[in-house]
Amino acid sequence: MQKTWWKEAIVYQIYPRSFKDANGDGIGDLRGILEKLDYVASLGVDVVWLSPHFKSPNVDNGYDISDYLDIMDEFGTMEDFDAVLAGLHERGIKLIIDLVVNHSSDQHPWFQAARTAKDNPYRDYYIWRPPVNGQTPNDWRAFFAGSAWELDETTGEYYLHLFTKEQPDLNWENPKLRHEVYKAMRFWLDKGVDGFRMDVITFISKDQTYPPYPETRFGDFTVYANGPRVHEFLHEMNREVLSKYDCMTVGESFGVTAEQALSYVGEGRHELQTIYHFDHVTVRNPHTFVNGWQDFNLQELKAIFYKWDRALGDQGWNTMYFGNHDNPRVISRFGDPAHHKASGKMIATLLLTQRATPYLYQGDEIGMTNCPFDAIEEFNDVEVLNNYKEFVEEKGADDAAYLANANIIARDHARTPMQWNTAPQAGFTTGMPWLKINPNYTEINVEAALADPDSIFHYYRQLIALRKANPALTYGANEDILPEHPQVWAYTRTFEGVCFLVVVNFGKTTQALPLDLSGYTLSLSNLNEGTPHTLAPYESRIYQRS
Ligand code: ISL
Ligand code: CA
């Protein structure tokens, strides 16, 4: 196993729209990020992943790109981008950007041209099929409700869109399209960008027979992943672009199982360096708004972690995250807002002591929680709104139940603006914010976190420093030493004769810790209970063996 910078990196994800608004229009922007670079650097992170900053009509907040070589109007200019990149580099932080090339926006000039005529030179940049018996070509459904096919009146054919109808899928079968993508990648790499997070990259190759949706898997979108040519395309992308730069890649890998993971990231594969799986964030709860919430237990979660650690630990490399812009807030999802500090720090402990590159999402470092949304109109996300239209308005699902589910899992929870201080609008903007601000900003905000030496923020800083000072926390073998325990997670991380022991109480009841701790010295803990063989709710400790 080779040591590399991207295995040792700690990544901080910025969702630009919600980070900091510098010009008072209510929308976060690049100048806003620039103002906060010292804050980001103070955490000790090595890499920033910036969610899409490209020109976009924002049907899906930038995940619908209308120009891969330009900046979103609301976010600023290319000079602003260059300033952010330079500012990060000056602080020793690398930048990876979001490559969204499974689909473009329907406003992209390629699609605008493609839809004008069947023989347009850009037609084949997208996926067109004639109607079958006057109906859609097959029964594929889109992620954000409804059919995955949209009829285009001009030519009487359907185009494929796995997401909204404003996000037509690009046709990777077409080598011209592939080379346009590689050109765009080179443009940003030549500017000095350090790599890519690749949006739904496992969907780029489609089964050219467009088979009917497997009946038994209705609503299971993993069927779109791992198409017949996906490895060939990634291999080509690696040969044409990635292999020529010292860059980092992480492929969003919805639908890739632990057993399939090495085929993407195995060292001899020359495809991607890492992938980002969904198994732990969807445990018992696939992302739907119509099913009720299912509780899960720690054993299920551990089983997922160790499956992935065994699959990639020695021959590939894992990633680790609890939150991002598509998931609820980590304390609301995996911890407990009633144990705000303790559970926020417990999640941090788990995040930063795995054999994997950790991804920290903006706001989690100050313990932001889910936002109470009182009515459907308060949501912004196309996923919540389109599914509401289909399931509640068209199919009669229960309105209150839908709202309750959305209050648990909606993506908007992660997208409410960053809470900087107690000023109006949490110091995010001087104008009207594009999305509701969580009313708890008066208590949970950056200024308060910085002023409190015992805050979640300072605990993240300490953890990050500990991880960086001790390669065993990055590279060490991970062994679960209480595999049967339903609420305590205890594991060792061992590397080159150094051994750490991590113990975590993943729940709201006090637990006995049935471990012999002689020979271990406490490195860091989230509570100061002083009772070694008892773990308070959400207590977590890191010991080093002397
Ligand atoms: O967000 C989801 C629910 O958790 C997923 O279904 C999500 O749509 C899927 O993981 C793909 O996500 C990525 O591509 C989407 C975009 O909306 C997401 O923000 C992005 O992370 C389409 O580009
Ligand atoms: Ca702005």
Side-chain angles (χ1 to χ4, degrees), residues 21-29 74:
D21 173 22
N23 67 351
D25 68 352
I27 297 173
D29 44 45
E74 294 86 338

Side-chain angles (χ1 to χ4, degrees), residues 140-200:
W140 287 14
R141 278 181 56 82
F143 266 71
F144 301 148
S147 170
W149 296 98
E150 180 73 10
L151 183 65
D152 194 54
E153 302 290 345
T154 317
T155 58
E157 286 192 332
Y158 286 90
Y159 64 86
L160 181 73
H161 61 89
L162 296 183
F163 295 89
T164 66
K165 66 178 183 350
E166 294 86 1
Q167 293 165 296
D169 279 51
L170 289 163
N171 179 20
W172 277 72
E173 298 293 318
N174 180 354
K176 275 202 193 123
L177 174 273
R178 301 204 298 274
H179 286 276
E180 296 271 15
V181 170
Y182 305 153
K183 200 170 96 189
M185 292 172 75
R186 281 188 216 105
F187 171 85
W188 294 101
L189 288 167
D190 289 340
K191 234 179 204 308
V193 157
D194 303 287
F196 301 100
R197 176 268 186 183
M198 302 186 185
D199 193 67
V200 285

Side-chain angles (χ1 to χ4, degrees), residues 49-54 60-68 97-105 108 110 163 167-168 170 172 177 181 184-185 196-201 204 237 252 325:
W49 153 23
L50 192 63
S51 276
H53 63 279
F54 312 88
D60 189 16
N61 290 345
Y63 284 91
D64 48 325
I65 296 173
S66 54
D67 186 344
Y68 289 98
I97 59 174
D98 223 310
L99 185 74
V100 189
V101 290
N102 171 69
H103 45 269
S104 74
S105 161
H108 196 293
W110 298 337
F163 295 89
Q167 293 165 296
L170 289 163
W172 277 72
L177 174 273
V181 170
M185 292 172 75
F196 301 100
R197 176 268 186 183
M198 302 186 185
D199 193 67
V200 285
I201 199 70
I204 57 177
M237 177 196 280
E252 191 194 24
H325 66 293

Side-chain angles (χ1 to χ4, degrees), residues 61-115:
N61 290 345
Y63 284 91
D64 48 325
I65 296 173
S66 54
D67 186 344
Y68 289 98
L69 306 180
D70 204 354
I71 307 291
M72 190 187 298
D73 293 335
E74 294 86 338
F75 289 175
T77 63
M78 193 62 86
E79 288 69 46
D80 298 334
F81 179 86
D82 292 341
V84 168
L85 179 60
L88 286 167
H89 283 171
E90 274 160 31
R91 291 166 178 80
I93 300 174
K94 296 186 193 287
L95 176 65
I96 63 174
I97 59 174
D98 223 310
L99 185 74
V100 189
V101 290
N102 171 69
H103 45 269
S104 74
S105 161
D106 65 346
Q107 301 305 305
H108 196 293
W110 298 337
F111 190 73
Q112 293 292 310
R115 74 191 320 178

Side-chain angles (χ1 to χ4, degrees), residues 10 13 51 86 120 130 160 175 208 210 291 316 318 330 347 389 463 487-488 494 540 545:
I10 293 160
Q13 182 189 351
S51 276
N120 185 279
L160 181 73
Q208 294 301 295
Y210 290 93
N291 301 333
N318 261 310
V330 295
I347 292 164
K389 226 170 139 218
L463 261 173
Q487 195 178 316
V488 174
T494 314
S540 33
R545 196 167 62 203

Side-chain angles (χ1 to χ4, degrees), residues 288-512:
T288 74
F289 296 88
V290 277
N291 301 333
W293 179 254
Q294 301 268 321
D295 277 333
F296 61 92
N297 64 39
L298 179 64
Q299 271 155 314
E300 291 170 86
L301 209 58
K302 286 194 213 177
I304 292 167
F305 275 94
Y306 286 102
K307 189 167 159 193
W308 278 87
D309 187 72
R310 278 192 299 272
L312 289 181
D314 295 324
Q315 297 175 65
W317 192 249
N318 261 310
T319 61
M320 175 61 196
Y321 69 99
F322 285 109
N324 61 25
H325 66 293
D326 290 336
N327 278 283
R329 283 286 171 185
V330 295
I331 291 181
S332 307
R333 174 73 170 85
F334 293 101
D336 182 353
H339 294 267
H340 183 254
K341 236 182 210 184
S343 70
K345 292 180 182 179
M346 175 210 70
I347 292 164
T349 307
L350 289 175
L351 177 67
L352 285 149
T353 57
Q354 302 297 326
R355 178 160 66 167
T357 299
Y359 285 74
L360 169 55
Y361 180 67
Q362 75 181 36
D364 287 343
E365 77 279 18
I366 56 165
M368 282 178 66
T369 60
N370 278 4
C371 178
F373 289 100
D374 302 322
I376 194 72
E377 294 74 31
E378 285 188 350
F379 289 96
N380 167 274
D381 183 19
V382 70
E383 184 182 46
V384 177
L385 300 178
N386 286 8
N387 279 301
Y388 183 86
K389 226 170 139 218
E390 176 174 351
F391 290 103
V392 180
E393 290 178 353
E394 288 161 21
K395 296 182 177 159
D398 185 64
D399 194 357
Y402 188 94
L403 195 64
N405 282 333
N407 261 296
I408 299 173
I409 57 169
R411 308 196 298 180
D412 282 322
H413 292 296
R415 302 175 180 188
T416 64
M418 184 75 179
Q419 296 162 203
W420 292 102
N421 53 43
T422 56
Q425 316 298 3
F428 163 71
T429 178
T430 54
M432 272 302 288
W434 70 278
L435 182 65
K436 182 173 178 175
I437 304 245
N438 192 320
N440 68 16
Y441 76 93
T442 49
E443 278 104 57
I444 300 174
N445 61 68
V446 169
E447 201 174 278
L450 292 176
D452 171 11
D454 187 42
S455 67
I456 296 173
F457 176 86
H458 288 298
Y459 186 75
Y460 266 103
R461 290 190 56 185
Q462 288 174 290
L463 261 173
I464 289 171
L466 186 71
R467 182 174 171 101
K468 305 210 78 149
N470 293 283
L473 290 173
T474 299
Y475 292 112
N478 190 328
E479 194 192 347
D480 187 358
I481 56 172
L482 290 177
E484 305 303 323
H485 205 295
Q487 195 178 316
V488 174
W489 194 349
Y491 50 101
T492 52
R493 300 294 317 282
T494 314
F495 185 66
E496 294 177 345
V498 178
C499 177
F500 284 88
L501 167 68
V502 183
V503 295
V504 160
N505 179 359
F506 198 91
K508 43 178 144 265
T509 55
T510 300
Q511 295 288 313

